[in-house]
Amino acid sequence: MKNDSELNLQGNKSNQTIDLHYFGDIYSYLKFINQTNVYFSAYESYFRALHLNRTKLMGANGPLPLSVPLEGGRNQKVKWKDVKINYAEPWQRIHWRGIHDNYRKAPWFEDYAPDLEQLFLRKEKYLLDLNLKTMDYCLQRLKLKVDILAYSEEEAAKLISRRPEKSEPIPSENFPVYQQVFSERHGFVPNLGILDLLFCEGPLATDYLRRIKKS
């Protein structure tokens, strides 16, 4: 995580602001295409509606939601930077087992799995730190060299008034079909977590993102 103290929100309209998701969906990674820097705020209040602790992959019985448990629950009133992970339950083992069991036959799983498994062996105290590491993992596999910069507290205050209350749904036709695990049972499910695209498309995942970006 870096900090750009000279960033001017009003003077630079090209700044790309991101939310730090736990293995965010495919659409969220479009913001990294053709960028060298992106920015996030650690000082906003934690927005439950952003689902920053959730990802959705594919399972044998359909889409597989995975959530990182949080101390204080989902409705806590704290700054994003202060949201802590709850380790009362072995969620890391559960998540890794779900990923392994459902994707072990995906074309690129064996290539990407060893380093990914290491992420689930570390215990990050804060959700922000975990999400930064998962994002860095994905960007490396996508071969996207992007610096993730942090807004200062003063700059973050200007962002709050600009955040939309509700995001618009993304049309499914925006996502070209690729071969997913269990597609013979459930058909193609668009905009799953980025891990689905990586395991199924491997080095072609970045080209897939660029195709969507151009459309």
Side-chain angles (χ1 to χ4, degrees):
M1 180 180 72
K2 300 181 179 181
N3 184 276
D4 187 350
S5 60
E6 296 181 356
L7 179 64
N8 186 321
L9 288 175
Q10 296 180 342
N12 187 353
K13 295 182 180 180
S14 65
N15 294 333
Q16 187 67 272
T17 300
I18 63 168
D19 292 311
L20 293 178
H21 290 274
Y22 174 65
F23 295 116
D25 60 29
I26 291 170
Y27 187 81
S28 70
Y29 274 79
L30 297 183
K31 290 189 174 183
F32 296 101
I33 299 297
N34 301 325
Q35 298 291 327
T36 56
N37 300 320
V38 296
Y39 300 86
F40 76 94
S41 169
Y43 292 95
E44 292 182 82
S45 297
Y46 180 73
F47 286 90
R48 172 185 174 186
L50 292 178
H51 305 309
L52 301 180
N53 63 325
R54 302 183 192 180
T55 189
K56 185 186 292 184
L57 303 175
M58 180 53 74
N61 297 318
L64 175 68
L66 298 173
S67 298
V68 178
L70 306 177
E71 290 190 6
R74 294 178 299 174
N75 296 317
Q76 55 188 303
K77 304 297 183 182
V78 297
K79 300 295 184 184
W80 168 210
K81 68 180 182 66
D82 296 322
V83 175
K84 295 180 181 179
I85 299 173
N86 189 324
Y87 287 95
E89 299 294 333
W91 68 267
Q92 291 170 292
R93 179 161 54 85
I94 294 170
H95 285 204
W96 174 246
R97 185 172 60 196
I99 293 169
H100 175 273
D101 291 354
N102 289 292
Y103 284 97
R104 66 183 185 275
K105 294 184 179 179
W108 294 92
F109 179 78
E110 290 187 4
D111 295 80
Y112 296 148
D115 289 339
L116 179 62
E117 185 178 13
Q118 292 302 310
L119 289 180
F120 290 98
L121 297 177
R122 304 168 188 162
K123 286 191 174 182
E124 301 294 341
K125 182 176 181 180
Y126 295 99
L127 181 64
L128 185 150
D129 293 327
L130 172 66
N131 289 6
L132 278 170
K133 285 181 170 59
T134 62
M135 188 169 286
D136 182 65
Y137 169 89
C138 294
L139 289 174
Q140 286 187 39
R141 274 74 200 165
L142 292 166
K143 295 186 176 0
L144 294 175
K145 297 181 179 180
V146 183
D147 283 332
I148 303 175
L149 309 173
Y151 287 120
S152 69
E153 187 169 7
E154 180 182 357
E155 292 159 344
K158 301 175 184 178
L159 286 175
I160 297 176
S161 61
R162 305 194 316 180
R163 179 181 288 279
E165 292 185 4
K166 185 177 181 180
S167 59
E168 294 296 324
I170 305 158
S172 59
E173 59 268 21
N174 285 18
F175 299 91
V177 174
Y178 60 90
Q179 186 64 42
Q180 294 176 323
V181 294
F182 309 114
S183 59
E184 72 282 359
R185 300 186 196 179
H186 308 292
F188 176 71
V189 180
N191 199 33
L192 291 175
I194 190 67
L195 287 179
D196 185 82
L197 182 64
L198 284 171
F199 292 148
C200 296
E201 291 291 283
L204 296 178
T206 309
D207 290 337
Y208 181 90
L209 294 175
R210 291 196 172 104
R211 285 162 56 196
I212 301 176
K213 187 76 170 180
K214 291 180 180 179
S215 63

